[in-house]
Amino acid sequence: MEQFFIKLSIMLVPALMAITCHEVSHGYIADKFGDNTARYLGRLTLNPLKHLDIVGTLLIFVVGIGWAKPVPVNFGNLRHPKRDMIWVAAAGPITNFCLATVSALAMRALIAGTQGAPEGSMLAAFADPVTLMLAFSVYINLLLGVFNLIPVPPLDGGRVAVGLLPYGPSMALARVEPFGMIIIVALVFFTNAFSYIIAPALNFGVHLLAGPYANLVFGVTKLMMKG
């Protein structure tokens, strides 16, 4: 039980921040492009309770992939629906990649600034858990960003593709959306999509951002995901 609470304390804030900022960014960009649905429903808030999906949040802690309640967007209210849809959808992954970058920079700065701190000191007691949280934040934000770029609606990558493709292929891909989550679950859990697509992108991103501390990011994440 103690191990569970240690894991929860390290994973909770980065995971909540990642999924909350992801969803708010969709609503914020939609609001700027003419659709105030999210604002009207009170979803333009960083209060994570407004965005949590219980099952999706639990899965983040169990298997590392999850979801929040989608921020409602009425694409018909956008000033240029097909074009603006691209930016609304892309806002989520872009936000996650920005959070991963900020977390990596903060982690590297904290490690550099606290090297040599005596074990058990006040400084170490503060720096060690925060470093672990930042390391997990790098991973979870990269994972959410990469995962959501899979070009199958209703994921963000699918909606970006719908906005970019010519009318015929765009409409054909849009019709996949009612079955999209079934396709995504099948791809992730019953094929090698994670090993051959998502994992290499994650590996590249972690090494790019964390540099010499990439093993720390992977190590913390592996430890957190262990049963």
Side-chain angles (χ1 to χ4, degrees):
M1 184 61 72
E2 181 182 355
Q3 187 70 17
F4 169 79
F5 284 111
I6 291 173
K7 288 170 59 175
L8 187 65
S9 66
I10 292 171
M11 297 171 70
L12 187 61
V13 172
L16 290 181
M17 182 69 72
I19 61 178
T20 298
C21 292
H22 179 105
E23 292 301 330
V24 170
S25 67
H26 289 313
Y28 177 79
I29 297 300
D31 189 60
K32 292 298 181 184
F33 286 165
D35 176 40
N36 65 358
T37 304
R39 181 179 296 280
Y40 178 75
L41 294 175
R43 297 291 301 278
L44 293 188
T45 173
L46 291 177
N47 178 0
L49 297 179
K50 293 284 188 178
H51 306 286
L52 288 188
D53 177 282
I54 298 300
V55 175
T57 303
L58 287 175
L59 282 177
I60 287 179
F61 299 110
V62 176
V63 298
I65 296 178
W67 57 84
K69 288 189 294 187
V71 165
V73 176
N74 185 338
F75 292 106
N77 289 340
L78 300 174
R79 286 186 283 273
H80 306 282
K82 196 170 187 300
R83 185 191 70 190
D84 294 347
M85 178 197 309
I86 298 170
W87 294 107
V88 173
I94 289 172
T95 296
N96 287 129
F97 292 141
C98 289
L99 285 172
T101 302
V102 171
S103 297
L105 292 173
M107 178 187 72
R108 295 172 75 155
L110 186 59
I111 292 172
T114 57
Q115 281 181 344
E119 189 174 343
S121 66
M122 289 281 291
L123 182 58
F126 164 79
D128 290 349
V130 174
T131 300
L132 297 180
M133 290 170 66
L134 290 168
F136 185 72
S137 179
V138 173
Y139 183 89
I140 196 65
N141 276 289
L142 284 174
L143 177 60
L144 288 176
V146 170
F147 178 73
N148 276 282
L149 286 179
I150 295 174
V152 177
L155 292 184
D156 301 326
R159 289 190 169 144
V160 169
V162 168
L164 289 173
L165 289 170
Y167 181 79
S170 172
M171 291 300 99
L173 183 58
R175 285 193 287 270
V176 171
E177 182 156 346
F179 317 101
M181 288 310 298
I182 298 173
I183 296 170
I184 293 158
V185 168
L187 284 173
V188 171
F189 293 104
F190 300 105
T191 74
N192 290 322
F194 190 94
S195 298
Y196 290 111
I197 300 173
I198 299 174
L202 265 177
N203 188 62
F204 173 80
V206 169
H207 280 91
L208 177 67
L209 296 181
Y213 306 112
N215 286 338
L216 172 63
V217 173
F218 288 122
V220 168
T221 302
K222 184 177 180 180
L223 180 64
M224 292 299 103
M225 295 302 178
K226 284 174 65 176

